[in-house]
Amino acid sequence: MFDIQQIRHDFPILGREVYNRPLVYLDNGATTQKPLCVVQAMTDEYLNVNANVHRGVHFLSQQATDLHEAARETVRKFINARSTAEVVFTRGTTESINLVAACFGQQCMGPGDEVIITEMEHHSNIVPWQLLKSRKDINIKVCPITDEGRLDLNVLERLFSERTRLVSVCHVSNVLGTVNPIKDIVSKAHAHNVPILVDAAQSVPHMAVDVQALDCDFLAFSGHKVYGPTGIGVLYGKEEWLDKLPPYMGGGEMIDRVTFQHTTFNHLPYKFEAGTPDYVATTGLARALDYVSTIGFETIEKHEHELTKYAREQLSEIDGMRLFGPSDDAVVSFLVGNIHHLDLGTLLDRLGIAVRTGHHCAEPLMHRMGVEGTVRASFALYNTVEEVDALVAGIRRVAQMFG
Ligand code: PLP
């Protein structure tokens, strides 16, 4: 049974007020709130276990290492990777994509080689490729979207050439809520013998993501968007690919033997984990994934889909409403009449309603849609129908003020 009030109790922040009004938090695409169990697991580790991992023979270090490696196993199970060697801890989606761009770029790409991305990417799946372009003179090809906000898969097919080395695409758009047909895209890429990186920042919090079922070669996500702590994320990579790539950063942990002349590197996944990892955050992430797993994605998806559908229906009845994208997932982007997105967001905030405004780190997508920015409401498992009603009432009120 899905008891929403019980779930809301797990997130103490949801009980607070802003401007003397109950908080309505609808900025979950940016980051989710944290259940008490995550904060408690991290507090407990700092208070009772804290020691650097992998380095000490002493009791605390071993205990901290056990927690850290248990967290890796929790992630492995959560995304169904074949082995923990395929689970690299990073600081988040952004770092994971930069890692692939840097290491794959160094090893597998040269002047004139091509990466395919899409028009709906977050900046973190655009700029790393531009940085690589400036270093290695690669080409970036962009798959367009349709007016409905879906990838134009016919054009995608035509973008492949004998110089295509990688496809890098988001699973779910953080602006449009489009769920891309990743399995089909993976098949297309593999039919051309091209590996694929999936930006799963906006899918992992909302649906079961099985890397073996998707058959993707790399996948990136952030802990903080799935009820976990900030500063921790994951890069999944097939072992055969990670093995081929050079290290990302140099330092402690990632080495096997070091002399001034030569260094050999640690085995996977440590080759990609230079320096002290955020071992407390990995514990928090594991606790968050356990929390989500206990509720179950069947339940979460059903709840979030109902909310999103209801929100679209209610919003579309507002005069002057423009909705962007299909909102397959827990994201609704919109503009109302001539009201500037920033004005709408600011006035909603005064009513206690937290939404995101602006370009959502997807400026090329804004250009495609012919707007400077939108307002985005994004839902999580703890949001309620009453909160959607508050959003709709808030927008009506602001619209009235603007006449
Ligand atoms: N990719 C997508 C689709 C996102 O929505 C985001 C964050 O909003 C990112 C990547 C970047 O995530 P992070 O800032 O956690 O690295």
Side-chain angles (χ1 to χ4, degrees):
M1 264 295 283
F2 185 63
D3 181 345
I4 189 84
Q5 288 314 325
Q6 183 53 49
I7 283 179
R8 287 180 72 83
H9 274 128
D10 295 339
F11 295 80
I13 201 170
L14 297 178
R16 71 162 290 180
E17 298 191 333
V18 293
Y19 308 113
N20 295 319
R21 289 168 176 276
L23 170 69
V24 175
Y25 185 78
L26 301 177
D27 193 18
N28 297 285
T31 200
T32 50
Q33 300 302 343
K34 318 305 170 199
L36 202 52
C37 61
V38 167
V39 181
Q40 277 169 343
M42 296 173 73
T43 305
D44 184 55
E45 182 160 353
Y46 271 130
L47 294 181
N48 296 306
V49 184
N50 183 54
N52 207 333
V53 292
H54 296 143
R55 294 167 191 201
V57 290
H58 60 81
F59 185 88
L60 287 188
S61 176
Q62 289 185 13
Q63 207 175 356
T65 303
D66 288 348
L67 281 171
H68 183 61
E69 292 307 326
R72 200 187 302 275
E73 169 61 14
T74 301
V75 173
R76 184 202 67 73
K77 264 203 233 137
F78 191 78
I79 58 171
N80 194 30
R82 288 164 205 82
S83 129
T84 50
E86 299 182 322
V87 176
V88 178
F89 284 124
T90 64
R91 285 190 302 123
T93 308
T94 302
E95 188 174 84
S96 297
I97 298 174
N98 274 275
L99 189 161
V100 176
C103 302
F104 186 92
Q106 182 182 330
Q107 187 72 18
C108 308
M109 296 186 82
D113 284 343
E114 295 164 359
V115 59
I116 298 176
I117 60 173
T118 85
E119 216 164 22
M120 64 168 79
E121 298 309 316
H122 187 280
H123 294 163
S124 62
N125 197 22
I126 300 173
V127 184
W129 307 110
Q130 291 173 335
L131 295 177
L132 182 63
K133 181 179 162 79
S134 67
R135 283 200 305 274
K136 283 236 158 174
D137 204 20
I138 64 153
N139 292 323
I140 301 167
K141 286 186 163 175
V142 182
C143 175
I145 59 167
T146 62
D147 290 342
E148 199 208 342
R150 299 200 179 279
L151 291 180
D152 191 330
L153 295 177
N154 292 326
V155 178
L156 176 66
E157 182 57 44
R158 294 201 294 274
L159 292 181
F160 284 93
S161 79
E162 74 282 1
R163 301 307 299 269
T164 311
R165 296 290 172 263
L166 188 75
V167 174
S168 191
V169 58
C170 63
H171 195 171
V172 174
S173 160
N174 65 314
V175 177
L176 307 168
T178 316
V179 178
N180 288 322
I182 287 297
K183 262 183 148 173
D184 292 353
I185 300 172
V186 170
S187 303
K188 271 188 204 302
H190 286 174
H192 292 274
N193 266 329
V194 171
I196 176 163
L197 162 61
V198 177
D199 170 354
Q202 297 292 346
S203 57
V204 160
H206 303 291
M207 61 189 74
V209 170
D210 178 329
V211 291
Q212 291 193 63
L214 292 177
D215 197 27
C216 54
D217 301 277
F218 302 99
L219 182 135
F221 72 94
S222 300
H224 70 97
K225 292 188 197 285
V226 57
Y227 312 102
T230 49
I232 193 73
V234 171
L235 172 67
Y236 157 81
K238 279 184 184 164
E239 207 167 336
E240 68 207 70
W241 275 114
L242 292 179
D243 253 339
K244 271 193 207 128
L245 302 188
Y248 183 43
M249 294 195 289
E253 273 317 302
M254 51 74 75
I255 55 90
D256 171 31
R257 317 244 4 142
V258 180
T259 66
F260 282 117
Q261 287 71 38
H262 185 65
T263 292
T264 53
F265 304 120
N266 207 340
H267 56 84
L268 294 176
Y270 309 107
K271 181 173 82 173
F272 294 105
E273 294 183 352
T276 299
D278 194 340
Y279 51 83
V280 177
T282 56
T283 297
L285 174 61
R287 194 66 201 84
L289 299 183
D290 283 342
Y291 180 84
V292 168
S293 301
T294 303
I295 298 170
F297 274 114
E298 218 174 296
T299 308
I300 293 171
E301 275 191 79
K302 183 167 178 292
H303 175 69
E304 291 180 349
H305 282 175
E306 279 169 10
L307 270 188
T308 311
K309 186 164 170 278
Y310 179 68
R312 269 186 80 96
E313 283 164 7
Q314 296 301 308
L315 289 171
S316 61
E317 287 184 7
I318 296 174
D319 281 348
M321 175 59 64
R322 271 176 80 192
L323 291 161
F324 296 90
S327 302
D328 305 324
D329 204 43
V331 175
V332 183
S333 266
F334 55 90
L335 286 172
V336 184
N338 292 326
I339 308 173
H340 194 273
H341 52 86
L342 195 56
D343 291 336
L344 184 48
T346 306
L347 290 165
L348 286 173
D349 176 54
R350 301 305 292 203
L351 300 172
I353 302 162
V355 290
R356 178 129 302 219
T357 64
H359 55 57
H360 314 294
C361 296
E363 278 196 74
L365 176 57
M366 296 299 124
H367 295 155
R368 165 65 177 85
M369 301 193 307
V371 298
E372 189 197 300
T374 70
V375 179
R376 179 187 76 182
S378 49
F379 305 111
L381 57 87
Y382 42 64
N383 287 124
T384 63
V385 168
E386 291 73 24
E387 288 181 309
V388 174
D389 289 338
L391 171 70
V392 172
I395 296 169
R396 285 189 191 282
R397 193 162 153 190
V398 175
Q400 250 170 15
M401 284 169 58
F402 278 79

